[in-house]
Structures are given as structure tokens and as C-alpha cells.
Amino acid sequence: MAFSFTGPVLGIESSCDETATAVLDRTGRVLAEAVHSQLSDHAPFGGVVPEIAARAHLAILPAQVRDVMARAGVGFADLAGVAASGGPGLIGGLIVGSQVAKGIALAHRLPYVAVNHLEAHALTARLPGLVEDGAPFPYLLLLVSGGHCQCVAVEGVGRYVRLGGTIDDAAGEAFDKVAKLLGLGWPGGPALERLAATGDARRHDFPRPLLRREGCDFSFSGLKTAVARVVGTYPAGALPAADAADIAASFQRAVAEVLADRTGHAMATMRARYPTARLLIVAGGVAANGAVRTALTREADTRGFHMVAPPVRLCTDNAVMVAWAGLERLRLGWTDGLDFAPRPRWPLDADGMRRGLA
Ligand code: KG4
Ligand code: ZN
């Protein structure tokens, strides 16, 4: 049943290493937002440390919520609802964000929405002004981040069909691991892209796992191993910068080709199942990569799809998308009980989206 409300919605994101808060008015306009990246807390360890992340969320979030609410000019009692990422993600951070949201909801008698973080990425394209005519359902989502790599048919709010996903590493994880092999630090994607810009992408013919195979699954670990083998032919610490650039460029080209090929299959599947579908949305940190965008745009064009990647700040983890997903759910009258238990694993398909599953 449709549900009408007039107040703004508060959104909270704390599933990984971004602490973020946003307030959107009931049309989806951003009144205020903040994203605190914990990168510098985790960088010395070469990856996200769950316990450090949870403590950082706890240290940052309460003041961030107060600040964003003040900048939005909104009092807690004016809100129409409070939404927080309830999973999937790191349990410590999920508990922190969910408890803050539940506390506000309880104190001010507001509806609470436990948002699936993947659903938030999936619905971002429907934020007002991002896609012409507002990204009507159904559309195809390619989610490519450090933790996720999957193609999803988005049929409606709460209605997702996973068409394929990675059978080993996520695409961003492959970027990070290869960047580490090349001594580029963490997170590696942006540094690897910068290095690749100066290299020869045709020097190494790295494997393209699953290329032209049936289905829409992805695989990156064989590619990463092939890169490790080439790097291993140089004495430790003696990889010349020009050779590193050629490796980076060749690796990036292979990833872009694989992503385009697999997503191409997903577009064909999508078209067969939903004849009106013609929109491909790409989200997640890897969507920031120029070579990946170019390859996907070309593939979409040849298949009669229109590819849209939201601006990078909305592709990577943020709270605007969480508030927006909360708003889409509130519009349908869908809320959650304060007994909702955060779910570190929470798949984005029909069974997973049913609430209360372990
Ligand atoms: O979506 P995101 O910010 O966080 C999650 O993983 O949820 O994605 C981060 C991932 C990292 O693996 C990072 O290396 C990758 O996205 N990434 C990139 C680029 N920018 C970020 N990979 C390739 N090229 C980039 N320009
Ligand atoms: Zn994410």
C-alpha cells in the first residue's frame, strides 16, 4: 500500500570503511550530507581492519549525524523516517549504524528502515535528476566494487534477480591485489589507473577468464595469478617503472574486456526476459575507471542499451543512497521492527530480500 509522508529522511552508512550520513527531503533532494573516509586508519594495514572500522564509526557517527541534521536545518522530530545500512558488510560497523538509527527512531517515534546496502547501490540511479525519466524499472545493474561484482536485474523496489556474479575475487579486489604486487599501496584501483595511463596495454596478453562463456559469471583470480607470474620474473624490488606501467595497462585492459563481455551476456539475458529493458547502470568504485567505463559504454551501444554510471561520489559508499533506498521503501509503507538484527551476509535476490532470514 502506498504511504504518503511529508518529512525528510535520514540515512546512515557504516557497512565498511566509510562513515556517512545524509538527509534528503521527501522528493529525494539532498539537504545535507557527509562522508568520512577511514582510509588513513586502515592504509598502514593494507586493507580494512574490521575492529578499527567499528571503533571509528562509533567515534565519528554521533557528531556527524548532529552536524548533518543541523546543516539540513531539520530537527529529529521533523523526520519521516530513519534508514541505515543493515547489511551486508562488517558486523561491527553495521551494529553501530543500526543502533544509532534505531535509537533516534525510538526516541522520536519514527519509522525505521533497515536498508540492504546492495539495494541502496541498485536504486541510486533513481535519485531525481540522475537519469532522464528517472530510471524506470526494469533495468540492469552491474555492481563492481572492492567487495562485490555482480549483475542484477532490478525489477522493482525489493525485487532483484541476480543474473551472475564473481566466482572468486571481486573486480576491485583484483585491482587492489595487482596494485599491491606493483607496490602501489592501498586502495590500489586509482593508483593503478594512473600508472596504466603511461603503459602499453598490448604488451602482455593476460588471460581473460570466462570470456565468451555462457552465462554472466565473472572470475579474476587467474588473471591476478598471471600478473603475479610476470612480476615474479623480475628480482624483488627491481621492476622498472616502465615495465610496471605496461603490466598495469595490460591488466586493466583485460579486466575491462572481461567486464564488458560478461555484462554483454547479462544485457542479452535481460533483453530476453524483459523486452523493454534498455538501461545499464554501473555502480561501485571500479565504475570510476575510465577504461572500464569506455569498454562498457561500447558494449552497451552495440546491444542497444544506454549505460549510465552515477557520479563517482554516488557510486562509492555514501549515505545519500541509503536515505534514498529508505525513502523508496517508506513510500511503499515498508518499515522494519527495532528488533531487526544486522546481517553481515544479505544477498540481493528474492529469497535474500525476504526479511528475517539468517
Ligand atoms: O565501492 P567502493 O568505494 O567500496 C567498496 O568496496 O564497497 O569500491 C572500492 C574499490 C576498491 O577496490 C578500489 O581499488 C576500486 O574500487 N577502485 C578502482 C578505481 N577507483 C576505486 N578500481 C579501478 N580504477 C579506479 N579508478
Ligand atoms: Zn558499497
Side-chain angles (χ1 to χ4, degrees), residues 11-21 57 61 64 83-85 93 97 117 120 317-322:
I12 292 172
E13 161 58 33
S14 60
S15 66
C16 190
D17 60 339
E18 267 86 25
T19 314
T21 303
H57 288 304
L61 197 54
Q64 186 185 65
S85 282
H117 177 91
D317 288 349
N318 66 87
V320 171
M321 68 178 190
V322 177

Side-chain angles (χ1 to χ4, degrees), residues 181-265:
L181 286 170
L182 298 175
L184 297 177
W186 177 87
L192 192 141
E193 183 175 18
R194 277 194 298 279
L195 180 63
T198 64
D200 173 7
R202 301 195 176 268
R203 167 136 174 229
H204 300 281
D205 190 20
F206 289 130
R208 271 85 167 134
L210 300 182
L211 197 76
R212 287 189 276 281
R213 293 275 191 84
E214 285 280 296
C216 322
D217 283 339
F218 302 84
S219 165
F220 294 101
S221 82
L223 172 56
K224 174 200 65 194
T225 307
V227 172
R229 213 172 292 128
V230 171
V231 172
T233 62
Y234 295 85
L239 177 63
D243 289 2
D246 291 346
I247 293 171
S250 303
F251 163 77
Q252 181 175 270
R253 178 164 156 251
V255 173
E257 276 185 33
V258 168
L259 284 175
D261 176 80
R262 310 315 301 158
T263 310
H265 281 218

